[in-house]
Amino acid sequence: MNIKGNIKIFVEKIHVEGNGVILLTGPSGCGKGEIAKALGKFLSIPEDKHLSMGNILRKTINKAGKDSHFRLILEEKYCISDNVSIFDQSQNRPEIVNKADSYTKEMHNFFGSSKNSFSQLDWLKFCVSNGLLVPDEWTKKIIEALFENSQEMKKGILILDGYPRTVTAADYLLKTFNKLEIPIIKVLHLFITKEQMSFRLLSRKREDDAQQSIERRYQFYIDKVQPCIDYLKSSLGSDTVSLIDAHQPVFENGKLNVEASIHQVVINVMEALGLPGYLLDLK
């Protein structure tokens, strides 16, 4: 009796190793967060290695709260202090002081009415917790401070989602990573049209001035983000920067399949990263 055997090969999980940062950038509403999550899951990159600016700010606040040495470094080297008032005009730019002053009542409610003064670090906490923009000069310093003083941030593959957004920020980031010997693996520029951006944002926004807000965001993208991408391309080489079509809708039975649409974009991301073709068919 001749019994013939057979074999099946299953690839259950992909795991990447190495060192460096993948930058994800693009206009508001292009799906950076969703793509970053899907990419991280596909490549088995830990969730704490997916960093948005919000993640970085929260990590900085938490580290400053627990680590007195890091808090001192923030104060002495990066001029973000728990001992300097946000209303001190000799230590803060006038526009920062004025903005903080306009939120005095809200800060009392946030921190408690018994608190009589608010430091620069308090203002950072308030901004992050309430969705306010953090001063640009602070975000650059915070990224440098966190990467320079956190060993875990220098190891493995990181996905940096939505940063940098200006030429100045890009220049500072490249210098910081170069100093810390952290390579940039790839810049993935997710692209959608103004009409696609408007549709996506309007479907999730509630404010009456949503359309005006979208116009401002798109103009910011044109004026700031696109020149930032050009700067990264000239600094890192055109092979390091890839343009990815982030609008690839997949419809099933006349309805948009969001998960399949994201997967379709992730396939293009994988190709840009140079992964072998057979891996792109894995679900």
Side-chain angles (χ1 to χ4, degrees), residues 4 6 42 47 53 63 100 107 112 122-123 133 143 147 152 172 181 186-187 189 197 201 255 265:
K4 294 183 178 180
N6 61 73
F42 192 92
E47 289 186 11
M53 197 63 227
K63 190 174 180 67
M107 282 196 284
D122 288 332
W123 177 241
L133 289 178
I143 286 180
F147 273 89
E152 69 274 12
Y172 200 93
E181 298 183 339
K186 201 77 173 178
V187 179
H189 181 199
M197 172 183 168
L201 294 181
K255 294 183 178 180
V265 178

Side-chain angles (χ1 to χ4, degrees), residues 214-280:
I214 290 169
E215 291 290 341
R216 289 194 297 271
R217 290 187 185 194
Y218 191 77
Q219 197 57 48
F220 181 87
Y221 169 71
I222 295 297
D223 294 341
K224 300 294 185 179
V225 179
Q226 283 192 341
C228 171
I229 299 302
D230 291 338
Y231 177 80
L232 290 171
K233 189 180 294 185
S234 66
S235 299
L236 300 171
S238 57
D239 291 343
T240 305
V241 180
S242 293
L243 180 66
I244 307 293
D245 182 1
H247 182 70
Q248 300 186 52
V250 176
F251 293 92
E252 293 181 358
N253 300 320
K255 294 183 178 180
L256 178 66
N257 186 323
V258 176
E259 185 177 347
S261 300
I262 292 173
H263 180 75
Q264 193 63 36
V265 178
V266 171
I267 287 177
N268 285 164
V269 168
M270 297 299 182
E271 291 173 338
L273 289 172
L275 269 73
Y278 65 85
L279 293 179
L280 306 180

Side-chain angles (χ1 to χ4, degrees), residues 93-249:
R93 289 192 291 110
E95 53 267 38
I96 295 177
V97 175
N98 293 337
K99 186 173 182 179
D101 186 59
S102 70
Y103 282 95
T104 301
K105 181 179 178 181
E106 289 82 355
M107 282 196 284
H108 277 293
N109 292 335
F110 181 77
F111 289 106
S113 57
S114 60
K115 190 173 180 64
N116 296 318
S117 61
F118 302 104
S119 68
Q120 292 172 325
L121 196 56
D122 288 332
W123 177 241
L124 177 63
K125 294 176 186 176
F126 180 79
C127 287
V128 173
S129 297
N130 291 275
L132 302 179
L133 289 178
V134 174
D136 285 343
E137 65 266 32
W138 286 19
T139 58
K140 293 184 294 185
K141 293 176 181 178
I142 285 168
I143 286 180
E144 182 181 3
L146 191 63
F147 273 89
E148 192 169 38
N149 294 279
S150 305
Q151 287 301 315
E152 69 274 12
M153 302 286 282
K154 303 176 187 177
K155 300 176 182 178
I157 306 296
L158 295 170
I159 300 174
L160 184 51
D161 162 12
Y163 192 88
R165 302 198 305 161
T166 67
V167 171
T168 302
D171 180 65
Y172 200 93
L173 185 72
L174 293 186
K175 288 177 180 176
T176 297
F177 283 173
N178 184 60
K179 178 179 67 174
L180 299 176
E181 298 183 339
I182 299 174
I184 293 179
I185 298 169
K186 201 77 173 178
V187 179
L188 301 170
H189 181 199
L190 303 178
F191 174 79
I192 56 175
T193 66
K194 182 179 180 181
E195 291 73 24
Q196 291 158 1
M197 172 183 168
S198 180
F199 176 79
R200 293 185 184 193
L201 294 181
L202 283 173
S203 66
R204 70 187 191 190
K205 289 179 70 68
R206 300 176 186 175
E207 293 87 345
D208 293 335
D209 64 341
Q211 190 58 55
Q212 290 88 340
S213 173
I214 290 169
E215 291 290 341
R216 289 194 297 271
R217 290 187 185 194
Y218 191 77
Q219 197 57 48
F220 181 87
Y221 169 71
I222 295 297
D223 294 341
K224 300 294 185 179
V225 179
Q226 283 192 341
C228 171
I229 299 302
D230 291 338
Y231 177 80
L232 290 171
K233 189 180 294 185
S234 66
S235 299
L236 300 171
S238 57
D239 291 343
T240 305
V241 180
S242 293
L243 180 66
I244 307 293
D245 182 1
H247 182 70
Q248 300 186 52

